[in-house]
Amino acid sequence: NAGVTQTPKFQVLKTGQSMTLQCAQDMNHEYMSWYRQDPGMGLRLIHYSVGAGITDQGEVPNGYNVSRSTTEDFPLRLLSAAPSQTSVYFCASSYSMDRANLPLHFGNGTRLTVT
Amino acid sequence: GQNIDQPTEMTATEGAIVQINCTYQTSGFNGLFWYQQHAGEAPTFLSYNVLDGLEEKGRFSSFLSRSKGYSYLLLKELQMKDSASYLCAAPGGATNKLIFGTGTLLAVQP
């Protein structure tokens, strides 16, 4: 199993550009989520999905869209990039969040810089 | 609401024992996680506690006191490779999904 795969690893955008961060998992996990990690702020939840066709907002959803057309894929779209979105983005998945003891599996992250 | 607090940084010596504390405030409680994150890498799962007491896994142990809203991660026989950030996390917040503390950066010195 590859686990959770994120692409790209690094990205530089100009203000106003749009892009999609890709996330795929091959563990048949129901639950997928996107976090951003900033110095001194910890990991903050952007959006999450409890299954194909179902998405919901996390703590910091503004400026981001998600979709979940398949169990495996959960892309994150930046609609119009802003410097405040400069961050490290992590995709994470779990078999099910209904069972609270199941840990999240993280991808290796995407380091995004918006100039 | 949900609040998770842990120290920002700690320093310890190779071979020693270090305890990293975490306090949490939640409207409900559904377990507490510890993750390890090396610089430039993804967080990886270390432990999960839902009942009071100590859970031991080799050199790492995690303790929970639900009445005090308190947990700690105990690292024994420290090695240089243990230099990393240690993240405390619990389900909560408006979404009842996993919320993380800001992490404790541990530096292990020779």
Side-chain angles (χ1 to χ4, degrees), chain A residues 23-82:
Chain A
C23 176
Q25 53 88 12
D26 61 358
M27 298 174 283
N28 200 30
H29 283 174
E30 291 182 350
Y31 179 81
M32 297 186 75
S33 56
W34 278 101
Y35 286 86
R36 59 178 288 173
Q37 187 173 38
D38 303 290
M41 301 287 289
L43 287 157
R44 291 182 292 168
L45 183 63
I46 304 172
H47 284 285
Y48 66 96
S49 168
V50 298
I54 305 169
T55 64
D56 210 340
Q57 295 181 348
E59 302 170 86
V60 289
N62 292 341
Y64 307 95
N65 275 357
V66 292
S67 60
R68 185 93 179 270
S69 57
T70 66
T71 300
E72 294 78 18
D73 299 299
F74 191 45
L76 178 72
R77 297 184 187 84
L78 279 70
L79 308 173
S80 177

Side-chain angles (χ1 to χ4, degrees), chain A residues 2-10 23 27 33-37 42-43 88-93 103-111, chain B residues 34-46 81-87 100:
Chain A
V4 180
T5 303
Q6 285 184 239
T7 56
K9 292 185 179 180
F10 301 94
C23 176
M27 298 174 283
S33 56
W34 278 101
Y35 286 86
R36 59 178 288 173
Q37 187 173 38
L43 287 157
V88 181
Y89 291 85
F90 287 101
C91 179
S93 71
L104 287 176
H105 297 258
F106 284 83
N108 286 330
T110 296
R111 284 149 185 80
Chain B
W34 284 96
Y35 285 79
Q36 179 190 58
Q37 185 178 24
H38 285 101
E41 298 183 7
T44 55
F45 169 74
L46 284 178
K81 67 179 182 178
D82 297 330
S83 293
S85 283
Y86 292 86
L87 314 178
F100 286 82

Side-chain angles (χ1 to χ4, degrees), chain A residues 8-21:
Chain A
K9 292 185 179 180
F10 301 94
Q11 183 71 49
V12 179
L13 291 177
K14 294 185 178 179
T15 297
Q17 287 184 317
S18 63
M19 79 158 294
T20 300
L21 280 63

Side-chain angles (χ1 to χ4, degrees), chain B residues 1-2 26-28 90-99:
Chain B
Q2 179 92 13
T26 59
S27 53
T95 64
N96 201 35
K97 301 309 175 190
L98 205 58
I99 305 296

